[in-house]
Amino acid sequence: MGGVAEGVRASGAKFYWHLGDFRAMYDFDEDLLAAPEYRSRHLTIADYQRIAWQDFIEHQVDPFGTLPVHLTIGNHELVAPKTRADFIQQFADWLDTPELRAQRLRDDPRDHKLHIYNHWVEGGVDFISMDNASLDQFDNEQLGWVERVLARDAADTSVRTVVVGMHDALPDSLSAGHGMNESAEMERSGRRVYRDLLDFREKTKKRVYVLASHSHFLIEDVYNDACHPRPETLLPGWIVGTAGAVRYRLPANLEGAKHAKTDVYGFLLGTVQPNGEIDFSFKEVKQSDIPARVLERYGNKQAQACFEENKSTYAPAGPNCPTGMPPGN
């Protein structure tokens, strides 16, 4: 993440958007154990879970400096004993920025509660951050909220584009085995949001992009598969899980993907054109891009292990189109 922060700041980006899994939480993070203040200590898992989020803030968020950082919850943020209430308490400063608070109150002047899901409008683009970090989401409250947001965007001529960011990819993607096909409730609600976005695009002719990160690799056009025949394909849809988590193998059938790559680190840079179109490009972070201060803190051996050894044999299953869904593209 130190290299990501350097790259994002150098790119001239207006903000950085993290789509979840800040720390492993179910086991010790290798970089945390290699930090000078912990490498000679015997931490218990309770010790680790108590300090992991603060360590994330200090060593993964703070390097962005004054650049705004938006945080979307991932499933690892709900590893027991952590809860959504814990998440709101720890990350309240990022969930209640003046920008997000003003937008929330514009949407509903009576809404004075913090929400994990939120949105902000910038440069004619509505960035919508959703919560699908557990098997019971999206719940009906969140579905109603996002449909009201889309209805306002449809009527607002200043909004040309919608970008929806979430942790799990919507159902029936090329990485369906590690996305919103993981539970019946996720499938039901995720397909509803997918249809909402298609209807919004068709009725308004505005542009729609969907970003996710749950699978730890890079895929562009992740919804271009047999479950989504044209014109029912949200293109480009991205999975970008390349900020440090253990890297998976790619799914078997990637015929519909424009780009697919694993064993890489980096970030997705979006450039908004005057007509609302967004050009996305993946910016790889290589070992030579890791800042000297990071190498000094964790050691060259740890950095090398991150690039050479941080791999898993796990490969998510592809989509299994439900009965009645038309086959083929």
Side-chain angles (χ1 to χ4, degrees), residues 265-277:
Y265 300 120
F267 60 95
L268 194 67
L269 181 66
T271 303
V272 182
Q273 305 300 328
N275 65 355
E277 182 178 2

Side-chain angles (χ1 to χ4, degrees), residues 175 177-178 217 248-252 312-318:
S175 186
H178 203 67
F217 43 58
Y248 299 160
R249 302 309 92 196
L250 291 167
S312 168
T313 59
Y314 172 69

Side-chain angles (χ1 to χ4, degrees), residues 107-294:
D107 293 345
D108 181 355
R110 301 167 300 171
D111 189 2
H112 296 284
K113 295 193 301 183
L114 291 188
H115 301 279
I116 292 177
Y117 51 86
N118 51 60
H119 76 115
W120 71 99
V121 179
E122 186 169 344
V125 181
D126 194 356
F127 297 93
I128 302 174
S129 176
M130 297 194 71
D131 170 8
N132 60 4
S134 57
L135 300 180
D136 59 339
Q137 298 295 324
F138 309 114
D139 63 12
N140 288 332
E141 182 178 350
Q142 187 174 185
L143 286 171
W145 170 81
V146 74
E147 289 172 351
R148 291 191 296 273
V149 170
L150 290 173
R152 284 190 291 268
D153 287 343
D156 189 344
T157 57
S158 69
V159 174
R160 303 185 303 274
T161 306
V162 166
V163 179
V164 185
M166 61 193 72
H167 188 63
D168 284 29
L170 292 170
D172 314 310
S173 75
L174 291 171
S175 186
H178 203 67
M180 288 192 76
N181 293 92
E182 293 176 353
S183 77
E185 180 59 23
M186 279 186 150
E187 285 189 334
R188 180 196 70 82
S189 61
R191 287 173 183 155
R192 176 170 159 179
V193 169
Y194 193 99
R195 174 52 59 183
D196 287 339
L197 294 173
L198 284 178
D199 291 345
F200 173 87
R201 187 180 68 180
E202 176 62 25
K203 292 175 182 177
T204 66
K205 308 305 178 186
K206 299 183 181 186
R207 301 179 188 276
V208 175
Y209 303 91
V210 182
L211 311 177
S213 72
H214 185 42
S215 293
H216 304 159
F217 43 58
L218 173 75
I219 298 181
E220 180 182 2
D221 291 354
V222 72
Y223 302 109
N224 188 23
D225 57 34
C227 297
H228 303 114
R230 301 287 181 89
E232 296 191 353
T233 308
L234 291 172
L235 296 174
W238 287 86
I239 289 178
V240 188
T242 57
V246 60
R247 297 171 295 186
Y248 299 160
R249 302 309 92 196
L250 291 167
N253 185 357
L254 292 172
E255 293 179 4
K258 187 173 181 180
H259 293 113
K261 197 171 184 180
T262 192
D263 296 336
V264 292
Y265 300 120
F267 60 95
L268 194 67
L269 181 66
T271 303
V272 182
Q273 305 300 328
N275 65 355
E277 182 178 2
I278 302 179
D279 296 328
F280 287 102
S281 59
F282 180 71
K283 304 298 182 183
E284 185 173 353
V285 172
K286 300 181 179 180
Q287 189 169 349
S288 58
D289 299 319
I290 303 302
R293 67 179 184 278
V294 176

Side-chain angles (χ1 to χ4, degrees), residues 21-35 38-39 43-45 47-57 59-60 76-77 79 216 243-246 297-298 302 306 310:
D21 287 357
F22 307 155
R23 281 312 203 177
M25 300 311 291
Y26 67 92
D27 198 359
F28 300 96
D29 301 296
E30 292 90 339
D31 62 321
L32 187 147
L33 292 180
Y38 302 124
R39 66 177 62 136
L43 295 178
T44 66
I45 193 66
D47 292 331
Y48 160 74
Q49 290 178 329
R50 177 177 50 81
I51 63 179
W53 281 353
Q54 185 61 37
D55 184 86
F56 164 76
I57 291 170
H59 300 293
Q60 298 189 40
H76 285 247
E77 278 70 72
V79 170
H216 304 159
V246 60
R297 174 173 172 77
Y298 299 104
Q302 182 62 44
C306 286
N310 190 32

